[in-house]
Amino acid sequence: MAQDLVDGLLIKARSHLPPPSEPLGKLSKRDRKGVAVIKLKNPPVNSLSLEVLTEFVISLEKLENDKTFRGVIVTSDCPGIFSAGLDLTEMCGKSQAHYAEFWRAVQELWLRLYLSNLVLIAAINGVSPAGGCLISLTCDYRVLADNPKYNIGLNETLLGVVAPSWFKDTLVNTVGHRTAERALQLGLLFPPAEALRVGMVDQVVPEDQVHSTALSVMAQWLAVPDHARQLTKSLMRKPTADRLVKQRDADIQYFLQFVSRDSIQKSLRMYLDKLRQKKG
Ligand SMILES: CCCCCCCC/C=C\CC(=O)SCCNC(=O)CCNC(=O)[C@H](O)C(C)(C)COP(=O)(O)OP(=O)(O)OC[C@H]1O[C@@H](n2cnc3c(N)ncnc32)[C@H](O)[C@@H]1OP(=O)(O)O
């Protein structure tokens, strides 16, 4: 087992059998070959800082280029939290150059994940708002742990900000227009049973079965010849991705203008203060 610890992101790339302590579930040994596990590890809440976004992209690129790997399970190393979404401190009180670099990194990760040739399965073992939800939506299949605390959704409006068009597109492509419209306007965070009902996740399973279920699902997806599956994925997703590719710079400019507004800075600061005050 190759194991690589990068700042903020734990990557366990598994090209051989797992240690015996890990349950094999219903999978044969062969099924597990070629499957890597990317575990987000940026305590306390796996927020997606510029550093984490960058490391994530580099790790994906390495896996894409290493033909040993055909699939990746994306999961979290932080108990109870898949990811708290974009790091809000990266969007508050920083320079224009910083905002531009940060937003380009968000775009880059989305494009890499959304168009990945690898099979991506999200093993969602914690709460998953906004950017955390977006990461799971870029995967080919989502398995969510059945815990009433593990809400998932694009809650941007509740922060006083707007989910960009490509966040919206990703959700529409997953749950359909009407469900997405309602969820986005209301900033809904769905508990597991609701998330399953609206199609935001594909399966809800007991918490201790999330990883083994993700591996079983992976085996099913890897049974399909790569070239046919990859071309089909591209057919389904490329038109959505191309919309961003064609206007990446304009999207960054729009983000800069938006995030620099006094009213938006105020909303984000208030939201962060509210999170911080929760404790005491
Ligand atoms: C082109 C068009 C322009 C449009 C612009 C839109 C830009 C995109 C907008 C949004 C995308 C996002 O992803 S924004 C992030 C949204 N995330 C959230 O709303 C989740 C916020 N966090 C929580 O709800 C909770 O923290 C939690 C449920 C995830 C965990 O709860 P828990 O009780 O376990 O932990 P705490 O709340 O005490 O948090 C611990 C610690 O972490 C800080 N924190 C939490 N979330 C974030 C975050 N997203 N970014 C940065 N920091 C975060 C929190 O403040 C605490 O800090 P302190 O220890 O210092 O108090």
Side-chain angles (χ1 to χ4, degrees), residues 74-216:
V74 181
T75 191
S76 161
D77 200 55
C78 287
I81 295 168
F82 181 71
S83 164
L86 300 186
D87 189 329
L88 293 162
T89 62
E90 301 276 17
M91 297 189 278
C92 274
K94 297 281 197 298
S95 68
Q96 295 278 304
H98 183 86
Y99 293 145
E101 191 185 1
F102 179 65
W103 200 246
R104 188 171 286 282
V106 178
Q107 291 177 336
E108 187 63 31
L109 180 61
W110 180 77
L111 286 167
R112 291 267 175 187
L113 286 167
Y114 202 58
L115 294 177
S116 176
N117 271 328
L118 297 156
V119 175
L120 302 182
I121 310 282
I124 310 167
N125 50 351
V127 62
S128 184
C133 172
L134 184 74
I135 286 181
S136 75
L137 291 175
T138 62
C139 293
D140 299 295
Y141 195 94
R142 283 158 288 286
V143 181
L144 174 61
D146 194 6
N147 181 321
K149 289 185 186 155
Y150 294 175
N151 292 336
I152 179 166
L154 297 179
N155 61 328
E156 279 79 355
T157 52
L158 300 185
L159 283 70
V161 300
V162 180
S165 57
W166 37 287
F167 283 40
K168 179 266 293 172
D169 290 342
T170 317
L171 184 63
V172 169
N173 292 351
T174 309
V175 300
H177 197 279
R178 174 59 192 148
T179 299
E181 180 177 21
R182 183 170 159 270
L184 284 167
Q185 287 200 45
L186 296 175
L188 294 181
L189 287 168
F190 296 94
E194 276 291 287
L196 183 64
R197 192 182 61 77
V198 301
M200 190 166 278
V201 298
D202 298 293
Q203 234 178 308
V204 172
V205 300
E207 195 147 6
D208 61 352
Q209 288 169 30
V210 172
H211 191 68
S212 59
T213 305
L215 280 168
S216 301

Side-chain angles (χ1 to χ4, degrees), residues 43-48 79-81 83-91 103 127-132 149 155-156 159 161-167 189 250-256 258-259 264 268 271-279:
V45 292
N46 272 345
S47 61
L48 302 168
I81 295 168
S83 164
L86 300 186
D87 189 329
L88 293 162
T89 62
E90 301 276 17
M91 297 189 278
W103 200 246
V127 62
S128 184
K149 289 185 186 155
N155 61 328
E156 279 79 355
L159 283 70
V161 300
V162 180
S165 57
W166 37 287
F167 283 40
L189 287 168
D251 186 70
I252 291 173
Q253 287 312 313
Y254 184 65
F255 175 72
L256 288 185
F258 185 84
V259 84
I264 299 302
L268 292 174
Y271 190 75
L272 261 173
D273 286 347
K274 208 170 80 184
L275 285 175
R276 286 170 180 153
Q277 281 160 15
K278 211 174 59 175
K279 284 181 190 150

